[in-house]
Amino acid sequence: MKRKLLGMVLMALAIVTSCKNDNDDQDINIIKFNDGQFTLYRGYSHKYSDALETGATPFVINLLGEGVSYSSDAGKFTGTGSLVTGYFYSENIAEVKNGLYTIDIFSQKGKYTADSCKIYYNYDFAQDTGKIYTIKAGTFDVVNLGRLMSYKIDIQTADFIHFTGEFRGTVDPL
């Protein structure tokens, strides 16, 4: 009887610990701040220039929120929604390399730094209306997951509006 009970307890414990938590991926692609949040769905990148004197290569990264799209014909963003954008300085000349990129408020453009970061929130790109947040501190943890990229975001403005979350998806070249 004791063996049977012990076996059932161990089996139940194995089932409970092996089940994936439904909340594990719940916050992927959701960026939260103060009382608000927005969802990202796609990314674009382009190499801004060749390697700088610092040895870093600048890339412009744009993470698009729902309602925003990129018009390759017009070369601009369209729609109304949110956008996370910034310059990332990689040690690799071909791509934004894996690593922790720190906001560089002094724009020294060193390897593994980012600057000129902004968040457009509920922004109407045709009317040029909505909220633009200029980022002054924080980090982006970048990981290449194969065909997907992960950008873990932990950044804030000068007046302490804190943005956190993770974008996990495709980042296509422009």
Side-chain angles (χ1 to χ4, degrees), residues 55-118:
T57 302
F59 290 85
V60 177
I61 302 298
N62 297 294
L63 305 176
L64 283 63
E66 292 177 343
V68 177
S69 59
Y70 181 76
S71 169
S72 57
D73 294 336
K76 63 181 182 178
F77 296 103
T78 61
T80 302
S82 299
L83 172 74
V84 178
T85 185
Y87 287 76
F88 286 68
Y89 298 93
S90 178
E91 74 173 7
N92 187 309
I93 62 170
E95 65 183 355
V96 176
K97 187 171 175 152
N98 293 349
L100 188 65
Y101 288 76
T102 303
I103 301 297
D104 176 12
I105 60 171
F106 300 110
S107 295
Q108 295 179 341
K109 299 171 178 42
K111 295 175 186 174
Y112 295 103
T113 64
D115 67 14
S116 303
C117 295
K118 294 182 181 177

Side-chain angles (χ1 to χ4, degrees), residues 142-161:
V142 178
V143 178
N144 185 330
L145 301 169
R147 70 174 196 85
L148 302 177
M149 294 293 294
S150 167
Y151 284 79
K152 290 182 183 168
I153 298 169
D154 187 5
I155 53 180
Q156 72 180 29
T157 65
D159 52 350
F160 304 107
I161 297 173

